[in-house]
Structures are given as C-alpha cells and as structure tokens.
Amino acid sequence: KAGVTQTPRYLIKTRGQQVTLSCSPISGHRSVSWYQQTPGQGLQFLFEYFSETQRNKGNFPGRFSGRQFSNSRSEMNVSTLELGDSALYLCASSLVSSGANVLTFGAGSRLTVL
Amino acid sequence: KQEVTQIPAALSVPEGENLVLNCSFTDSAIYNLQWFRQDPGKGLTSLLLIQSSQREQTSGRLNASLDKSSGRSTLYIAASQPGDSATYLCAVTNYLGSGGSRLTFGEGTQLTVNP
C-alpha cells in the first residue's frame, strides 16, 4: 500500500511569504502529526490532527497552523516566513493516536527561506 | 517537560561489531518508546516500539530494551553492516489531558559502520 506522501518535496521562499505543505496519510490512518526538524533544535512536535480536529499543538507561534480534511489529508501553513523557518517538515500518520501506534513518516518537505 | 537524551552523539565502528545505543528520558510516565532510523535527507523509519508495560522488543538483528523506572532504553545492533549507517532516534510518548499525545525525540546517534 502507498506510504505517507508529502508535497512539495523541496521549496524555496523568501522572508515574509507564506507556504502551504500537504500530507496524504496511509489509507485508513486517521491521525496525522507534523514535526519540524532543524540541525540546531532536532525534531520538534508541531501539531496532531485526528478526525479533522487538532488534538495537540506544540510550542510554536501562531504563524504555524494546520488543518485536516474529511479524507484525513492534512495541510500545514506557515505565514510571514522567517529565516529560522528553514527546516525539514515531516508528517507522520498512524491508525489512531500518534502515540499508541507505530508512526509512518513521509519523506518530508524541505523548506528554504531566503 | 519531557527531555530525551541520546548517547553517544556519533559512533563509528568496523563492520561486524555489536553495538549499543543509549537513550534516557526525564519523565517516566511514558506510554511507549520508539526507535527510528533516519537516512540522510529522508524521513524516519520506525524500527521498534516498546509499550510501557514491556521490557524489550526484538526485530532481526535489533533488540531494544526499556527500563521505565530508571528512564532508560538501549538499542542493541548485532553484527553491524555498512547498510546500518544512519542516524538513530529515540522518541517517547506522553499522553496529554486533551486526549492527544506528544512524541519527544532525542537528538539522535549518528552511526557509521565501516566496511
């Protein structure tokens, strides 16, 4: 079966712009969680969605937002981009809660902010 | 606040060696612990998941142990191969009052297995 698909894989933006990243989970998975990975901070939790509801949010500013659709696909948006937002953004899906089951990660979306 | 530490940060071994990667966490009220592998520029691949009630899990040449009371886990890799070269990450799950959960990751151990 298809894995977790993230698009786009690579993108370059300039400061002040906004970006939307997409994540399609494994078929049947209802939980989608997002992580930011940077060399300095490692992997940090952004948010978790389940059945179109945000269950949990990490310690990120309001510029970071997300949503989940009825088909479990999820998007995250970052507005007013800053240089420090350059990172690999990873999405993971699981059957139910992200903590109870094995997570399957996508390949990530690498964002560069100039 | 949960904190996860992995030691060593980097490890280089010759092919065939057995090795141990260490992970420690500060809050023992975890739901489970997972070990992941990450290849350069790629996403994470789940290797093993240990529930809080379990002591260890095995998959092929990999064995992970969990001592929840002391806040420690180890990943044992037997007969290492060059293809095992990657960054290994440990993550613990804590449940939150909202019904959601949060994974906290360590910084990872970068493993190089030399032919």
Side-chain angles (χ1 to χ4, degrees):
Chain A
K1 58 183 178 182
V4 177
T5 303
Q6 291 189 245
T7 57
R9 289 293 315 280
Y10 303 91
L11 65 166
I12 299 173
K13 293 285 187 177
T14 57
R15 280 181 297 174
Q17 287 187 310
Q18 67 96 27
V19 65
T20 299
L21 308 178
S22 178
C23 173
S24 294
I26 289 175
S27 178
H29 283 194
R30 296 167 64 190
S31 172
V32 173
S33 49
W34 288 88
Y35 296 83
Q36 181 196 63
Q37 187 175 33
T38 59
Q41 299 295 320
L43 266 159
Q44 292 189 292
F45 172 78
L46 279 159
F47 20 67
E48 177 191 6
Y49 287 90
F50 179 79
S51 294
E52 302 178 66
T53 301
Q54 185 180 89
R55 268 190 170 180
N56 190 11
K57 189 177 191 317
N59 190 26
F60 279 82
R63 300 185 296 107
F64 291 81
S65 63
R67 58 179 175 168
Q68 186 180 34
F69 302 95
S70 59
N71 62 358
S72 294
R73 189 178 71 86
S74 177
E75 288 181 347
M76 67 163 283
N77 184 77
V78 188
S79 62
T80 319
L81 285 166
E82 301 177 359
L83 295 179
D85 297 333
S86 295
L88 179 65
Y89 289 88
L90 292 164
C91 153
S93 77
S94 61
L95 276 172
V96 187
S97 166
S98 67
N101 305 110
V102 171
L103 290 179
T104 302
F105 278 82
S109 293
R110 184 167 295 280
L111 170 65
T112 301
V113 181
L114 302 177
Chain B
K1 178 189 169 191
Q2 179 71 271
E3 293 182 2
V4 180
T5 303
Q6 290 188 244
I7 294 172
L11 182 62
S12 181
V13 299
E15 181 177 4
E17 267 204 12
N18 302 325
L19 57 100
V20 175
L21 308 181
N22 297 290
C23 171
S24 62
F25 46 95
T26 55
D27 181 357
S28 61
I30 64 168
Y31 187 77
N32 60 40
L33 181 145
Q34 298 186 57
W35 282 93
F36 295 89
R37 166 187 174 138
Q38 186 175 31
D39 293 285
K42 303 287 181 62
L44 277 65
T45 300
S46 179
L47 297 173
L48 290 164
L49 182 151
I50 311 176
Q51 301 292 351
S52 63
S53 58
Q54 297 176 319
R55 298 284 293 184
E56 67 177 330
Q57 281 285 344
T58 298
S59 176
R61 294 182 293 108
L62 305 179
N63 175 277
S65 68
L66 173 64
D67 184 341
K68 202 175 81 160
S69 61
S70 67
R72 296 180 187 276
S73 175
T74 62
L75 178 66
Y76 175 82
I77 302 177
S80 58
Q81 304 171 357
D84 295 331
S85 298
T87 297
Y88 291 80
L89 295 132
C90 135
V92 297
T93 300
N94 291 96
Y95 270 119
L96 306 175
S98 61
S101 60
R102 175 175 299 186
L103 269 70
T104 304
F105 284 84
E107 292 286 333
T109 293
Q110 187 173 347
L111 173 65
T112 302
V113 181
N114 302 299

